[in-house]
Amino acid sequence: MDRQQVVLHMNHGMGDNSYAHNSIIQKKVMREAKGIVEESMMSIFKSLPQFSEIIEEKKGHKCGACFINATPGTFYKSLFPNNFLHFVHSSFSLHWLSQAPKELGNEENVHLTSTTPPAMHEAYLEQFQKDFKLFLKLRSQELVPKGGMVLTLIGRDKSQKTHDIRTAWSLIGTTLNDMVLENLIEAIKLECFDLPLYDPTIEEAKEVIEDEGSFTLQRLESVILDWSTNIKEAVDDDNNNKLDLNTKAEFTTKFIRAALEPLLKAKFGEEIMDELFVRYKNKIVQLIMGVKILEFPTLIISLIKKV
């Protein structure tokens, strides 16, 4: 198994830097998508009486109960039998690629930035298209006809003028470069490291869905979230206004660390993690001082499998 896939997971446990304690933004996205999820699930629950009648006609009263289970594995491979699922909900996952594009020659940055060559943007887009199309194909095989699917993932507004989520990723690269210059990290390790993340625009996501062809697009929306969502959810508005820059930067840093640390640790070693994120927090402080709005869109997609 690819080494990157082995470490591509969030910070586990319940500690201060864990994903569980630093995923308030994801919780907010789930709340935003709740109405769409419930709407999609209503066609399923309304059909349950008829479904039960059909099962009883075919199998009598011998049919078993319905169970819920967790299935380990990457969502870029088959997870369930064909025509098995009635509803799929993927939350904050599909911006993670199966791998970073290969042979990028991206020696100074670990992700896409405003100065990234067009060829690198194209490589990331092609990887997203390949992965997203595969995801749709696999889930369409596992869903019954007219089965529903709701997806949420970090997106991008191509006309956005504020600092979006890519700024957070690029600051990781800047911090790592600083540490290379101080001989705290081997240059060769950074030269061959790229984050397997891509934030598509609405147009890019829609194009893949239509090209793959297995689903009818019901809804495709963009919800704008700002980086301080973790803070706003954790404290009331009065206290939020009183928080100093260091505290605000700390919230943002924990959010990023919870998501990226396992991947960074596998590449650069556990011993530099604290130093890396202390430096990263300092860069976030400078960013907050210079920019009033730090936000990014999240895509919410509702699909129905074609018959």
Side-chain angles (χ1 to χ4, degrees):
M1 183 179 291
D2 187 276
R3 173 63 176 165
Q4 190 176 78
Q5 291 186 3
V6 173
V7 299
L8 193 52
H9 59 79
M10 309 301 107
N11 265 354
H12 56 74
M14 299 298 292
D16 192 46
N17 294 318
S18 68
Y19 189 76
H21 279 180
N22 295 281
S23 54
I24 296 175
I25 287 179
Q26 292 87 326
K27 179 181 178 182
K28 183 175 178 63
V29 170
M30 291 178 71
R31 285 207 302 265
E32 294 285 351
K34 182 179 178 182
I36 297 176
V37 173
E38 291 177 346
E39 178 184 302
S40 299
M41 293 179 68
M42 284 299 294
S43 57
I44 296 172
F45 284 98
K46 286 182 179 179
S47 66
L48 285 180
Q50 182 182 7
F51 176 74
S52 297
E53 291 175 3
I54 293 173
I55 294 298
E56 286 186 7
E57 287 178 3
K58 291 182 176 181
K59 297 187 177 182
H61 295 284
K62 296 181 180 179
C63 60
C66 176
F67 296 98
I68 298 174
N69 73 295
T71 302
T74 171
F75 44 77
Y76 291 124
K77 292 184 179 179
S78 296
L79 294 171
F80 299 96
N82 289 350
N83 298 309
F84 184 73
L85 303 174
H86 289 80
F87 181 74
V88 171
H89 180 207
S90 171
S91 179
F92 254 59
S93 299
L94 288 169
H95 44 262
W96 286 100
L97 303 174
S98 63
Q99 62 180 27
K102 295 181 179 180
E103 300 178 0
L104 288 174
N106 184 32
E107 296 182 1
E108 295 183 0
N109 299 312
V110 299
H111 199 252
L112 301 174
T113 69
S114 59
T115 60
T116 299
M120 184 175 167
H121 277 271
E122 187 64 26
Y124 264 96
L125 174 58
E126 288 179 359
Q127 187 65 50
F128 167 75
Q129 292 170 332
K130 177 182 177 181
D131 285 344
F132 191 31
K133 184 176 289 187
L134 177 60
F135 174 88
L136 293 172
K137 177 183 177 181
L138 293 172
R139 301 296 82 80
S140 71
Q141 293 171 353
E142 296 165 353
L143 279 162
V144 299
K146 293 188 177 181
M149 184 159 67
V150 173
L151 315 173
T152 62
L153 64 153
I154 293 175
R156 184 175 91 262
D157 183 348
K158 61 182 178 182
S159 62
Q160 192 169 338
K161 303 300 183 183
T162 57
H163 284 66
D164 59 18
I165 197 67
R166 287 190 176 181
T167 309
W169 311 144
S170 64
L171 284 180
I172 289 290
T174 304
T175 307
L176 289 168
N177 270 289
D178 291 345
M179 298 178 76
V180 166
L181 293 175
E182 297 178 35
N183 295 319
L184 297 174
I185 294 175
E186 295 178 44
I188 188 65
K189 289 184 177 180
L190 182 56
E191 290 173 4
C192 59
F193 177 75
D194 295 284
L195 289 173
L197 291 160
Y198 186 76
D199 43 347
T201 63
I202 281 181
E203 293 78 12
E204 289 169 348
K206 183 178 180 181
E207 182 180 353
V208 176
I209 292 167
E210 293 177 346
D211 186 52
E212 195 279 330
S214 297
F215 292 91
T216 299
L217 181 60
Q218 299 290 102
R219 296 173 69 175
L220 176 51
E221 302 177 4
S222 177
V223 177
I224 302 298
L225 298 174
D226 67 60
W227 291 19
S228 61
T229 297
N230 275 1
I231 304 173
K232 292 178 180 179
E233 291 286 328
V235 301
D236 57 46
D237 289 337
D238 290 338
N239 287 328
N240 180 34
N241 293 329
K242 297 175 184 177
L243 291 176
D244 59 28
L245 288 175
N246 279 312
T247 303
K248 291 182 178 180
E250 183 69 26
F251 272 90
T252 298
T253 300
K254 285 183 176 180
F255 164 60
I256 299 299
R257 182 171 186 169
L260 297 187
E261 185 171 24
L263 195 60
L264 294 167
K265 187 188 299 183
K267 186 67 177 183
F268 303 105
E270 183 174 3
E271 63 277 2
I272 70 157
M273 288 299 105
D274 288 340
E275 177 66 17
L276 170 63
F277 285 103
V278 167
R279 290 168 178 249
Y280 181 81
K281 188 195 79 171
N282 292 336
K283 292 186 183 298
I284 294 293
V285 169
Q286 297 299 315
L287 183 64
I288 295 175
M289 288 175 62
V291 182
K292 291 184 178 180
I293 302 177
L294 300 170
E295 60 186 16
F296 62 93
T298 295
L299 305 187
I300 302 177
I301 306 171
S302 177
L303 303 165
I304 298 294
K305 180 184 173 180
K306 296 178 180 177
V307 177

